[in-house]
Amino acid sequence: LIRTIEKFKNVKLPENVRDAIAERFPNWSMISDVYKVNFHRDNVVARKQYKVRLTNGDKRMKVKIDEEGNFL
């Protein structure tokens, strides 16, 4: 294999990811998430990324964030 991608739905987010979302979107609630890990040759982890769906009343949005809490 040259590369592969693994996806996990509705995982518990790391604390720094939760804190970054709460700080940037204080009145929003997390309703779902997808954790995606890209592996390349020799099982080297190339990228870890979270896609999180947020809601605030009638408004909804999706955000992408890495494992360190940086928005993409």
Side-chain angles (χ1 to χ4, degrees):
L1 288 173
I2 296 174
R3 69 179 182 159
T4 185
I5 299 172
E6 294 182 8
K7 287 184 179 183
F8 304 93
K9 293 184 179 182
N10 297 319
V11 298
K12 183 177 179 181
L13 299 175
E15 185 175 351
N16 55 340
V17 171
R18 290 191 313 261
D19 291 347
I21 293 171
E23 182 179 321
R24 189 161 177 181
F25 304 102
N27 296 322
W28 292 74
S29 300
M30 293 178 259
I31 56 174
S32 66
D33 64 77
V34 176
Y35 173 52
K36 186 167 94 171
V37 184
N38 293 331
F39 293 97
H40 287 285
R41 192 173 280 186
D42 301 325
N43 285 331
V44 176
V45 177
R47 184 172 60 177
K48 296 178 183 178
Q49 178 181 4
Y50 296 89
K51 293 181 183 178
V52 182
R53 290 183 62 205
L54 304 172
T55 185
N56 183 356
D58 293 340
K59 301 175 189 173
R60 293 178 187 239
M61 76 166 61
K62 294 179 184 177
V63 295
K64 292 181 183 179
I65 189 168
D66 67 13
E67 74 273 12
E68 296 174 2
N70 302 311
F71 289 89
L72 307 173

